Amino acid sequence: MTVVDTAETTVAADGAGRPPGPAGKPVPLGLGLLAAVLAGLTLLVSFPPYGLWWAAPVGVALLTVAVHRRRMRAGFGLGVIAGLALFLPMLSWTNLYTGQLPWLLLSGLQACYLGLLGGAVAATSRLVDRVRWSWPLVTGVLWVAQEALRDRTPFGGFPWGRLAFSQGDSPLLRLATLGGAPLVTFGVALAGGLLVTAVWRPWRAAGAGGWARAAGFVAGAAAVSVLGLLLPVGIAGAGAGTATVAIVQGNVPRMGLDFNAQRQAVLENHVSATIDLAGQVATGAARQPDLVVWPENASDVDPVRNEEAGRRISDAADAINAPILVGAVLLGPGEGQVRNAGLVWLPKTGVDQSQLYVKRHPVPFAEYVPLRSIARKVSKEVDRVRNDFVAGSEPGVLRVGGVSLGDVICFEVAYDEVVRDTVTNGAQVLVVQTNNATFNEAEAEQQLAMVRLRAVEHGREALMASTVGVSGFVGADGRVTGATGFNTEAVVTREMHLGDARTVATRVGLWPEMALLAMAVAALVAAALIRRRSLPGDGTATAGDPADAEER
């Protein structure tokens, strides 16, 4: 009898369908489409501003249900659908002032990575059906592999929407202290894999033993989700002294892409707020800070070259009698080039040229335009970026008044190695300078969630200073204090503990991610070998697998 291999079933010549060995049948296509859409939406609500962290494993499980036992191209398509349901609303802040095309292109690109994930999950169907205990593990490592690729490609990647960044209020956040964001993502996806292992079985024929096994898998998912409670956090960030730090959120006259056309007013806002703080210190209404932090783009007038801008910053530093970490745009080093920088401004003496950090990971198509002539044909909006920002080469470790700051600027907080480099080079606290004036509150809250993970990952207290909000302090245990409102002026002062010890995650760096990637490659190779052996070669189909019998 001739056998024809299809995506869902092996169909005999008489037209009767039966499961092709361990591959079996997927859910009906209509249910698969629904599951893919629900997967994206469920993942969405796990992130700020919704913050339903427990929804992330459910989203992972729904995507797996949608693509399991399908062809790779069908898995890719359903993964893209899930990705669009996730990224279109999540990244909607990118279209507030630039039009819809950049938003659609970015969301579509990110969705394609979930498409690749969907194809990979579909490709491993035979493996996990044969070796059922491996299903959660395979799910976990494939999600880590997808994020590793998305975090780095193209043009340095775009890590927004990593599963790890949805876990700010979850016990799983504590896994970051062992293996950073990749290990947290693995934990979330592992829990999702346990859920799908529980639900993927013919319940009417399962019997009491089947129900008991399913309950065990669900309990396992719950246990994974609370596993982090066993891990101590914050230890590395204690015992090395303290420093009183003030965040100045000066606000902007109006939101939008023309914030830099208001640059003199934005600078004046931050100067005035700092001088007001100095007045409160003089009356005893506020504590004297050891350091003041201004956000990214607080001075889009180069204060090193512009005498008036430099004088106003000196006025603020002299009034508060403390160093100010200024987020500034500096001209050069070449003609038509600029730098996004954090520089230290000292009272009485002015700028400290030895303490300067230049952003190492400028944002493509926002701070510089790759392939400008081609990009212009896609959207004229690229011409808003008149001068390309030049990337720095050194980690952002600034030594100010006996305190070593780990400075990262805006989206750099999403990149593992950029943050880790500051800690391995001696940073005692983490400082994230950002400008959210071209976005909205949801974007700011998503970014603050990244700061929370970094604080736990490296055992360092941290802060985020924004032009418009949300600004705030984060403890080494990931808890937020002093969070400001959005689109408002605010000044917040806190005592920060200086950390010197290193967490396991800081010490091991990329190795946990590399180990999980190796496991993902091994799973894909094993799945390919099983598929090759299962394909009909002599007119018969492989059958009789134990998992196949269970699904019947």
Side-chain angles (χ1 to χ4, degrees):
M1 181 180 294
T2 302
V3 178
V4 180
D5 187 25
T6 68
E8 285 82 16
T9 59
T10 300
V11 181
D14 60 5
R18 60 186 176 84
K25 295 182 180 180
V27 298
L29 183 58
L31 287 178
L33 287 168
L34 178 61
V37 172
L38 289 176
L41 295 177
T42 304
L43 289 170
L44 173 68
V45 300
S46 69
F47 291 90
Y50 311 100
L52 305 179
W53 61 266
W54 48 265
V58 178
V60 170
L62 284 168
L63 179 57
T64 307
V65 166
V67 304
H68 186 55
R69 295 177 174 173
R70 297 192 188 277
R71 287 186 186 274
M72 288 180 63
R73 62 174 175 265
F76 177 84
L78 289 169
V80 168
I81 290 171
L84 291 173
L86 168 63
F87 288 113
L88 281 172
M90 173 179 280
L91 301 179
S92 60
W93 43 265
T94 61
N95 77 348
L96 292 177
Y97 305 105
T98 61
Q100 294 189 348
L101 185 58
W103 164 56
L104 294 174
L105 289 175
L106 179 60
S107 300
L109 175 63
Q110 300 308 304
C112 285
Y113 286 94
L114 259 67
L116 294 175
L117 173 64
V121 173
T124 57
S125 297
R126 291 174 182 259
L127 169 64
V128 299
D129 274 334
R130 267 189 195 196
V131 189
R132 184 60 63 95
W133 60 263
S134 71
W135 203 345
L137 183 64
V138 170
T139 302
V141 297
L142 290 181
W143 271 90
V144 172
Q146 174 265 142
E147 290 187 356
L149 182 64
R150 190 164 66 84
D151 297 351
R152 294 169 172 84
T153 60
F155 308 117
F158 187 69
W160 221 268
R162 296 170 78 175
L163 291 181
F165 296 150
S166 70
Q167 301 298 295
D169 294 316
S170 165
L172 283 172
L173 183 69
R174 294 178 171 224
L175 294 180
T177 195
L178 297 180
L183 188 60
V184 179
T185 286
F186 175 75
V188 175
L190 179 70
L194 287 164
L195 290 177
V196 78
T197 308
V199 302
W200 192 279
R201 57 183 63 250
W203 291 111
R204 284 175 295 181
W211 283 97
R213 286 194 298 274
F217 284 120
V218 173
V224 168
S225 297
V226 300
L227 182 64
L229 293 176
L230 300 177
L231 296 174
V233 293
I235 296 175
T242 62
T244 301
V245 182
I247 300 172
V248 173
Q249 177 180 301
N251 207 11
V252 300
R254 59 188 179 275
M255 304 285 284
L257 287 175
D258 65 342
F259 73 88
N260 59 358
Q262 317 162 57
R263 55 185 184 266
Q264 193 65 48
V266 174
L267 172 58
E268 191 59 37
N269 283 358
H270 287 84
V271 169
S272 297
T274 305
I275 293 176
D276 289 345
L277 173 62
Q280 295 177 39
V281 170
T283 63
R287 285 179 289 178
Q288 169 65 48
D290 300 307
L291 170 70
V292 176
V293 178
W294 287 4
E296 176 191 27
N297 298 128
S299 179
D300 273 354
V301 182
D302 185 341
V304 178
R305 300 194 184 193
N306 185 289
E307 183 177 345
E308 176 61 18
R311 185 183 67 80
R312 292 301 289 149
I313 298 174
S314 289
D315 289 344
D318 292 347
I320 195 64
N321 194 31
I324 302 176
L325 177 61
V326 180
V329 174
L330 305 180
L331 300 177
E335 185 69 25
Q337 294 179 327
V338 290
R339 292 163 290 165
N340 192 348
L343 65 159
V344 176
W345 211 276
L346 300 173
K348 309 303 181 186
T349 59
V351 64
D352 184 349
Q353 297 279 9
S354 68
Q355 300 301 311
L356 170 70
Y357 171 61
V358 176
K359 187 176 182 181
R360 291 192 291 162
H361 202 300
V363 180
F365 304 104
E367 293 178 310
Y368 75 101
V369 181
L371 311 172
R372 186 180 284 268
S373 61
I374 298 174
R376 187 180 290 114
K377 295 177 181 178
V378 178
S379 174
K380 299 294 186 183
E381 295 291 336
V382 298
D383 290 331
R384 288 181 178 271
V385 184
R386 299 183 186 92
N387 300 312
D388 286 338
F389 280 76
V390 178
S393 58
E394 298 297 325
V397 181
L398 305 176
R399 292 172 175 84
V400 186
V403 179
S404 292
L405 308 177
D407 189 23
V408 296
I409 297 177
C410 199
F411 286 8
E412 286 187 318
V413 70
Y415 297 90
D416 297 346
E417 286 305 299
V418 173
V419 182
R420 179 175 178 267
D421 281 352
T422 68
V423 179
T424 57
N425 280 274
Q428 296 172 306
V429 295
L430 298 176
V431 174
V432 180
Q433 297 176 287
T434 187
N435 173 28
N436 307 112
T438 57
F439 305 126
N440 62 15
E441 189 171 1
E443 182 273 342
E445 291 182 358
Q446 290 162 15
Q447 196 172 31
L448 184 59
M450 301 176 193
V451 181
R452 298 178 70 180
L453 182 137
R454 299 307 180 194
V456 174
E457 178 181 12
H458 297 296
R460 293 292 186 271
E461 295 198 356
L463 66 84
M464 186 166 93
S466 170
T467 47
V468 299
V470 176
S471 303
F473 292 90
V474 180
D477 58 358
R479 296 182 182 180
V480 179
T481 58
T484 65
F486 191 74
N487 195 15
T488 184
E489 179 184 317
V491 176
V492 191
T493 303
R494 288 287 186 279
E495 186 176 69
M496 300 186 71
H497 292 89
L498 310 180
D500 285 330
R502 295 186 180 183
T503 64
V504 173
T506 305
R507 293 191 186 100
V508 299
L510 286 172
W511 286 109
E513 185 179 42
M514 293 298 102
L516 294 169
L517 286 176
M519 293 169 67
V521 171
L524 291 170
V525 170
L529 293 175
I530 289 174
R531 177 174 174 79
R532 183 176 181 180
R533 287 197 296 266
S534 300
L535 288 175
D538 57 359
T540 62
T542 304
D545 187 273
D548 183 29
E550 179 187 65
E551 292 302 323
R552 290 199 192 107

